[in-house]
Structure formats: structure tokens, C-alpha cells
Amino acid sequence: MSPDSLPPAIDAETALAHAPPGHKDELRLWLRMLTTTTLIEGEIRRRLRRDFDTTLPRFDLLAALDRAPAGLSLGEVSRRMMVSNGNVTGLAARLVEDGLVERRARPGDRRAQLLRLTAKGRRDFARQSAAHEAWIAELLSGLSAVERGALFRLLGHAKISVRTALPEEETP
Amino acid sequence: MSPDSLPPAIDAETALAHAPPGHKDELRLWLRMLTTTTLIEGEIRRRLRRDFDTTLPRFDLLAALDRAPAGLSLGEVSRRMMVSNGNVTGLAARLVEDGLVERRARPGDRRAQLLRLTAKGRRDFARQSAAHEAWIAELLSGLSAVERGALFRLLGHAKISVRTALPEEETP
DNA sequence: GCTGGATGCTTGAAGCCTAAACTATATCCG
DNA sequence: CGGATATAGTTTAGGCTTCAAGCATCCAGC
């Protein structure tokens, strides 16, 4: 199944393919997961820049807000995006400046601020989102529906495995 | 001990779980792949910082050099790490400054420079690498060997799918 | 009420990362 | 040889990201 005919990019995982055998196969699994994800993510970033002159974090923030019409606080956004709080501060500031997002005080809590998409934000995101979905489908089109289902399920197990092994965080 | 960056349980993929059905399942697959990878990667970064006061990119560069005792040019490193050329310039400079990596001219080509681990670099990396491998095994310990094998194989298909769909890169 | 701890957010320093422009060297080919 | 093209690496501008420190606000219990 390896494309021996075309040895294109030599990534870390490929380089390890001929490493001393008997070594932990968990490591190999992880490296393959990482390179696959990095490959897809890089392509998505490139296309977002090329077609919409935007970035993945901006897209992700818009996506989070698009799914929450009532708005989200900065903290809620940072949890959904799995990034730090301070990160969202700057990201949101740039999107507000560009007129895609608005922030307003949350009634009853003078600490929190609600972020919401503006009309322009909704419009822009709708276009980007459609393209994004098509890109993903294109990139994964080499997998059959059965393979996709199996992969989805196994990744679910992996996710649970990681969350279980993680230092007891809060589970609301 | 509680920085503002700990990822709780509600991530983007989970938030999408109740999205309108009939939507592309490729997108769900991708989001699950991304959150799983992000989860593991974030934990590895945290532990590298905590236990070795280093970062994942530094670790990755050392790993690439460790697998190539004869040394690698900056360009070869950037291809293996799948990052830009300019990125490696700064990364390597910091590692050279810290005495973990040395650079020397490549005989016969005055453009290229070879990077190699110093003795200290080899020593440090050996410790980090052992810990890293154990962490990965720990985080993925919830998967059976069969599941790991299946996941590895499916990710291989996904990788091929992406590389096939990618705009004709160089094929030497 | 008041006070101590939690929560929401911002700031600053440092590192990571990319694209694009640039320099220098190598190589191909007529 | 000499020019065109390719390759190796650096630089720069700008965005992303984290951690740690800090400010303001909220809330629970006294």
C-alpha cells in the first residue's frame, strides 16, 4: 500500500519506519496520527489563506460562535477551541477590529463579555465553512465509508484513553 | 497549579455532536482526529516543559538529528519536520546556542550546513526520548494491541488519501 | 456587611510558525 | 564560457500560542 513508486515527502514517521524493530508501536501510531493531522491541517491553512485570506484560528473562532447564536464568553470560546484564555483575547480583538465579531457585556456579570458574530461575520463564515467542508471531504475521499466509520470509532477510543490517562481534570 | 489553559471536556468536536444530522461525516471524522491529536500533543508539550524545560519543536529537531548520526542539512530537517525553512533557522540557532547542536559546513557545497547533535545533545535527548515514549504508551494504553494496529493501518490509508488529493508536489 | 477564594479577562515576555523577499552558491545547457 | 534555473539558507513582518502575573468582579460563609 506504500506508494513506493513516488517517494515524496520524507516526514518523521517515514524516517522512523526503518528504526530498530521491537520498539514501542504506540510511538509509531502516534507519529502517524501526528503526521496525518499535520498534513491535513497544513493544507487547510494554506487554502484558507489562499481563498479567504484568513487563518485557521480565526476560522475556528468563527465556527464556535456560529454554533452558538446566543453568543459565547471568551472563556467558553477558549474551552471549545482548547487554547489558552490569553490567546482568545488577541484573536477576538482582531476579529472585532475586522467587523466579524462583536462583544457586549453579559447582563448580570460585569466580568464576562459575550462574543457574537456580526452579519458580516455570519456571511463570511458561511462561505468559508462550505469550502472547508468540501476540502475535508476531498482530502479524505480515498477512504471508504466503512473505513471512515472504523477510524471514527477508533479515534473515539483513543480520545477516551487519553482523557482517562490525563491528570484528573474537572468534568462538569 | 491551575493555569488558564487546561482543556476541559467540551471541545469543538463535542459541540458539533448535536449539529444537524445528514451533514458530512468526513467533517466529524476530521474534527475527532484533530481534537485527539491536539489533546495528546498538548499534554506532551506540558510534560516536556515541566520535566525538561524544553518544547516540542526542540524535541522534534533533536529527534531528527538523533536518527541521522551523519548529520542533516537545515533543509533536510525542515522537510522531516514538515515546517518551513525559515523556522528551522531560528530553532537551530537556539539549540546551537544551548550547546545541544553543532553546525559545520558541508564539504563540497558552500551553501549547505550540516547540523549534528553534540555529546550533550545526545545525552539530553536520550533522557527526553525515553520519557516521551513512555508518555505516549501511557496515553494510548486504553487501546488494545488490535485496536492500535487497526488505527495505524487506517491512518495509513488516510495519509495516502491526503497525499493523493494534494496538489502535485515534487516527485523526484 | 465583609472577607477570602474563585472566576473572567488582560497583559507581557518568549518562543513558534509562515510567506515572501533576498543573498549566495550550484548546476544545467547551449 | 555564460546565462537561466534551481537549491540552501537568512531575514522580516505579522500572526499564533503559552505561561505567569495581575486586575476586576463575583460569591459563599461568617
Side-chain angles (χ1 to χ4, degrees):
Chain A
M1 204 62 74
S2 274
D4 290 332
S5 48
L6 41 143
I10 299 178
D11 51 46
E13 185 221 324
T14 308
L16 192 68
H18 306 292
H23 245 331
K24 289 277 182 300
D25 63 346
E26 284 93 340
L27 189 54
R28 276 217 259 242
L29 171 55
W30 163 240
L31 289 178
R32 176 164 287 187
M33 195 183 308
L34 188 53
T35 56
T36 306
T37 302
T38 302
L39 215 50
I40 298 176
E41 195 177 328
E43 184 64 16
I44 297 300
R45 285 180 194 272
R46 244 185 310 280
R47 294 186 184 187
L48 280 175
R49 174 181 303 265
R50 182 194 61 189
D51 294 352
F52 300 106
D53 191 30
T54 190
T55 67
L56 191 50
R58 289 169 63 101
F59 176 82
D60 285 344
L61 202 159
L62 295 184
L65 293 184
D66 190 67
R67 292 193 210 102
L72 292 175
S73 71
L74 288 160
E76 287 163 337
V77 169
S78 96
R79 275 188 290 280
R80 276 174 173 70
M81 292 179 67
M82 300 198 292
V83 299
S84 70
N85 246 333
N87 192 348
V88 176
T89 295
L91 208 42
R94 261 167 258 132
L95 289 169
V96 167
E97 170 134 14
D98 293 348
L100 303 177
V101 168
E102 64 178 10
R103 50 191 306 168
R104 48 180 63 235
R106 174 145 76 187
D109 191 336
R110 270 180 302 175
R111 296 169 304 175
Q113 317 242 344
L114 274 189
L115 298 181
R116 284 175 46 184
L117 290 184
T118 63
K120 175 171 168 47
R122 258 190 308 281
R123 236 183 301 123
D124 282 18
F125 176 73
R127 290 194 309 127
Q128 295 170 13
S129 179
H132 177 265
E133 194 172 309
W135 293 338
I136 296 298
E138 173 202 348
L139 293 174
L140 294 180
S141 63
L143 293 179
S144 70
V146 170
E147 286 178 312
R148 288 200 303 269
L151 190 45
F152 186 77
R153 196 175 45 78
L154 286 168
L155 286 170
H157 293 183
K159 200 168 149 185
I160 290 175
S161 171
V162 175
R163 285 233 160 100
T164 302
L166 243 43
E168 283 302 331
E169 291 163 26
E170 71 290 352
T171 38
Chain B
M1 187 51 187
S2 186
D4 55 16
S5 60
L6 287 183
I10 300 179
D11 51 44
E13 185 220 323
T14 307
L16 192 69
H18 306 292
H23 245 330
K24 289 277 184 298
D25 63 346
E26 284 92 340
L27 189 54
R28 277 216 259 242
L29 170 56
W30 164 239
L31 289 178
R32 176 165 286 187
M33 195 183 308
L34 188 53
T35 56
T36 305
T37 303
T38 302
L39 215 49
I40 298 176
E41 194 178 327
E43 184 63 17
I44 297 300
R45 286 181 194 273
R46 245 185 309 280
R47 295 186 184 187
L48 280 175
R49 176 181 302 266
R50 182 194 62 189
D51 294 352
F52 300 106
D53 192 29
T54 190
T55 66
L56 191 50
R58 289 168 63 100
F59 175 81
D60 285 344
L61 202 159
L62 296 184
L65 294 183
D66 190 66
R67 291 192 210 102
L72 292 174
S73 70
L74 288 161
E76 288 163 338
V77 169
S78 96
R79 275 188 290 281
R80 276 172 172 70
M81 292 180 67
M82 299 197 292
V83 299
S84 71
N85 244 337
N87 192 350
V88 176
T89 296
L91 209 42
R94 260 167 258 132
L95 289 169
V96 167
E97 170 134 14
D98 293 347
L100 303 177
V101 168
E102 63 178 11
R103 51 192 305 167
R104 46 180 65 233
R106 174 146 76 187
D109 191 337
R110 271 180 301 175
R111 297 169 303 176
Q113 318 240 345
L114 274 189
L115 297 181
R116 284 175 47 183
L117 289 185
T118 63
K120 174 170 168 49
R122 257 190 308 281
R123 236 182 301 123
D124 281 19
F125 176 74
R127 290 193 309 128
Q128 296 170 13
S129 180
H132 177 264
E133 194 173 308
W135 294 338
I136 297 298
E138 172 201 349
L139 293 175
L140 295 179
S141 62
L143 293 179
S144 70
V146 170
E147 287 178 312
R148 287 200 304 269
L151 189 46
F152 186 77
R153 195 176 45 79
L154 286 167
L155 286 170
H157 293 182
K159 200 169 149 185
I160 290 173
S161 171
V162 175
R163 285 233 161 100
T164 303
L166 243 44
E168 282 302 331
E169 291 166 24
E170 73 295 344
T171 43

